[in-house]
């Protein structure tokens, strides 16, 4: 029988501010569910900032749902173990009972998500800065253009204008430590004897607090995180003060020499943001805009991606977008809150230096499977 209902079913439209890992995930997931999606990126080009990133089971499952997992797995690495050293002695080697995890460069992950966004037909606008949003479903751009949509996603990072234009109640604080993050050549053949395919979290509390998180991304690229207190002028200096780092980590000299050449190196302190709510009307905040966290558990992007993907599930499951957003926050936020709290405690107390700190509680976010909405990989 011919379809006698001639009213066109209206395609729902989402406007997403920010093409980081959170915004790209939200845009792809919504588009895959049939939404019209426009993604606004303030910068003139689509590129990832920063160096390397860890993804765990939760983030990898999101990539599976976005049909990007196989591409991301190519040219990335799962170390045989996550090793912790204290004063150059190994104190633990963790393998997480088989829980999947992966290290990669940020540009690798970002490129894969951008390619997928384009492939599914997300309308990406660069040089398009969002300056404000209205809970009734409006996004205002820097050009003065005001766009109406069924859903506005604020994924515009830690200094979110979407968030601040609406006025959520927030707590923000910085930590005493910070980190220089770089990608350098592996130089494996020059490092001498050692298990250099492992992640090695090398801590020193004495004579100065200096730590290197050594994270191989693939055969060629190594992610180095060089941590020092922000009140240590030499440890926090960029470009790198080669002498203080080689003195403490002489066995990494070939890599550190390369690191010291990088003029663009930045020292960043950790930031935490906590909001009274992640949603207002038709506006949802995801990623660092909603819940910037300390990196100790390497879950900032993982939680961002899970939350963005879960949002796309919940707007399908509820009658109105407003109801869906409230249900989404109630359902998914507790995992992020607990992870943010443990990450903050670990960062404040430098707890990872003790080794064996990836307890079942610490791995809660990592064990979550956002596709099924259950915890996998019991620890
Ligand atoms: P962002 O990456 O900040 O993206 C925001 C995007 O929005 C950018 O492209 C920006 O240009 C754009 N933008 C900004 N303002 C506007 C605007 N007004 N209009 C339009 N566009 C705008 N997480 C992990 O999961 N694993 C890790 O191993 C890990 N390591 C970390 C290490 C360190 C030292 C730190 C500090 C964080 C780490 N994180 C890690 C956390 C992770 O980097 C962040 O949580 C994640 O990148 C946040 O993604 P996002 O998309 O919310 O924000
Ligand atoms: N884990 C990861 C990381 O990048 C950092 C930390 C822990 C993957 C910092 O860069 O504890 O600071 C940390």
């Amino acid at each position: 029988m011919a379809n006698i209902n001639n009213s066109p079913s209206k395609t729902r439209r989402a406007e997403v501010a920010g093409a980081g890992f959170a915004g790209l995930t939200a845009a792809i997931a919504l588009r895959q569910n049939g939404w019209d999606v426009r993604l606004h990126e303030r910068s003139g080009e689509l590129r990832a900032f920063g160096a390397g990133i860890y993804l765990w089971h939760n983030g990898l499952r999101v990539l599976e749902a976005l049909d990007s997992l196989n591409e991301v797995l190519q040219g990335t690495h799962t170390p045989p173990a996550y090793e912790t050293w204290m004063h150059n002695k190994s104190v633990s080697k963790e393998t997480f009972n088989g829980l999947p995890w992966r290290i990669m460069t940020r540009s690798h992950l970002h490129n894969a998500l951008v390619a997928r966004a384009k492939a599914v037909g997300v309308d990406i606008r660069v040089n398009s800065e969002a300056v404000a949003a209205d809970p009734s479903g409006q996004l205002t751009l820097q050009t003065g253009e005001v766009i109406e949509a069924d859903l506005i996603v604020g994924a515009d990072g830690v200094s979110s204008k979407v968030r601040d234009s609406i006025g959520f109640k927030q707590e923000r604080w910085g930590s005493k430590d910070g980190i220089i993050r770089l990608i350098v050549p592996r130089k494996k053949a020059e490092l001498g004897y050692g298990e250099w395919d492992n992640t090695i979290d090398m801590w020193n509390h004495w004579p100065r607090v200096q730590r290197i998180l050594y994270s191989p991304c693939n055969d060629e690229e190594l992610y180095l995180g060089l941590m020092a207190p922000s009140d240590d002028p030499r440890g926090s200096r960029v470009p790198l003060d080669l002498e203080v780092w080689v003195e403490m980590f002489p066995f990494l000299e070939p890599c550190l020499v390369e690191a010291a050449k990088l003029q663009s190196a930045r020292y960043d302190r950790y930031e935490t943001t906590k909001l009274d709510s992640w949603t207002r009307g038709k506006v949802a905040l995801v990623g660092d805009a909603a819940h910037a966290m300390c990196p100790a558990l390497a879950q900032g992007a993982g939680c961002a991606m899970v939350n963005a993907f879960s949002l796309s599930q919940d707007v399908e499951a509820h009658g109105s977008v407003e109801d869906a957003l409230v249900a989404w926050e109630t359902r998914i936020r507790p995992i992020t809150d607990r992870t943010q709290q443990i990450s903050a405690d670990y960062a404040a107390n430098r707890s990872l230096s003790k080794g064996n700190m990836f307890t079942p509680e610490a791995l809660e976010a990592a064990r979550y499977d956002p596709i099924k909405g259950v915890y996998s990989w019991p620890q």
Side-chain angles (χ1 to χ4, degrees), residues 16-24 40-43 45 47 49 52-56 106 110 128-131 155-162 179 181 223 268-271 286-295 297-305:
V16 181
F21 299 131
L24 282 162
H40 301 270
E41 169 54 46
R42 179 179 58 184
S43 309
E45 51 181 344
R47 76 184 185 88
F49 297 92
I53 189 156
Y54 286 52
L55 286 186
W56 304 76
R106 284 182 181 250
H110 197 263
S128 186
E129 182 179 5
V131 291
D156 48 345
V158 69
S159 307
S160 171
K161 292 195 171 169
V162 169
I179 196 147
R181 292 168 288 165
Y223 166 36
D268 295 308
R269 286 177 70 195
Y270 309 148
E271 273 199 77
V286 292
D288 281 5
H291 54 70
M293 68 175 79
C294 292
L297 297 177
Q299 272 296 344
C303 285
M305 291 166 68

Side-chain angles (χ1 to χ4, degrees), residues 168-179:
F168 291 87
K169 223 160 113 208
Q170 56 181 290
E171 285 174 60
R172 286 174 80 152
W173 66 95
S175 58
K176 62 180 180 240
D177 294 330
I179 196 147

Side-chain angles (χ1 to χ4, degrees), residues 233-250:
R234 292 194 71 184
S236 60
R237 185 175 302 161
V238 283
L240 226 66
D241 183 332
L242 188 59
E243 195 182 58
V244 282
W245 289 100
V246 170
E247 187 177 63
M248 203 81 96
F249 303 94

Side-chain angles (χ1 to χ4, degrees), residues 65-248:
L66 303 184
D67 217 358
S68 295
L69 181 63
N70 289 338
E71 197 178 333
V72 169
L73 291 182
Q74 279 171 41
T76 63
H77 177 65
T78 301
Y82 187 117
E83 197 171 351
T84 302
W85 291 0
M86 173 58 95
H87 297 141
N88 299 334
K89 266 187 47 198
S90 184
V91 291
S92 68
K93 281 186 187 177
E94 294 170 87
T95 53
F96 318 121
N97 195 26
L99 180 79
W101 60 300
R102 202 88 181 159
I103 307 177
M104 61 202 72
T105 65
R106 284 182 181 250
S107 57
H108 181 83
L109 177 60
H110 197 263
N111 290 344
L113 290 173
V114 168
R116 182 65 187 157
K118 289 180 175 165
V120 298
V122 172
D123 178 3
I124 307 180
R125 304 269 166 101
V126 292
N127 291 314
S128 186
E129 182 179 5
V131 291
D134 190 283
S136 67
Q138 285 184 338
L139 184 70
T140 305
L141 303 179
Q142 215 263 332
T143 56
E145 190 183 349
V146 180
I147 313 171
E148 304 233 336
D150 301 288
L151 169 65
I152 309 284
V153 179
D156 48 345
V158 69
S159 307
S160 171
K161 292 195 171 169
V162 169
R163 176 192 66 210
D164 293 343
S165 71
I166 293 178
F168 291 87
K169 223 160 113 208
Q170 56 181 290
E171 285 174 60
R172 286 174 80 152
W173 66 95
S175 58
K176 62 180 180 240
D177 294 330
I179 196 147
I180 304 164
R181 292 168 288 165
L182 305 159
I183 300 289
V184 297
R186 286 282 304 263
K187 301 267 170 189
K188 201 169 149 184
E190 293 171 43
L191 291 186
Y193 180 77
E195 292 177 71
W196 299 116
D197 288 339
N198 283 348
T199 277
I200 313 178
D201 196 358
M202 306 164 174
W203 286 83
N204 289 282
H205 290 325
W206 185 89
R208 291 180 302 275
V209 175
Q210 265 175 259
R211 164 197 181 198
I212 291 185
L213 180 62
Y214 167 101
S215 312
C217 297
N218 52 44
D219 285 343
E220 285 84 40
E221 294 166 301
L222 172 66
Y223 166 36
L224 287 182
L226 298 97
M227 192 196 88
S230 55
D231 62 6
D232 171 359
R234 292 194 71 184
S236 60
R237 185 175 302 161
V238 283
L240 226 66
D241 183 332
L242 188 59
E243 195 182 58
V244 282
W245 289 100
V246 170
E247 187 177 63
M248 203 81 96

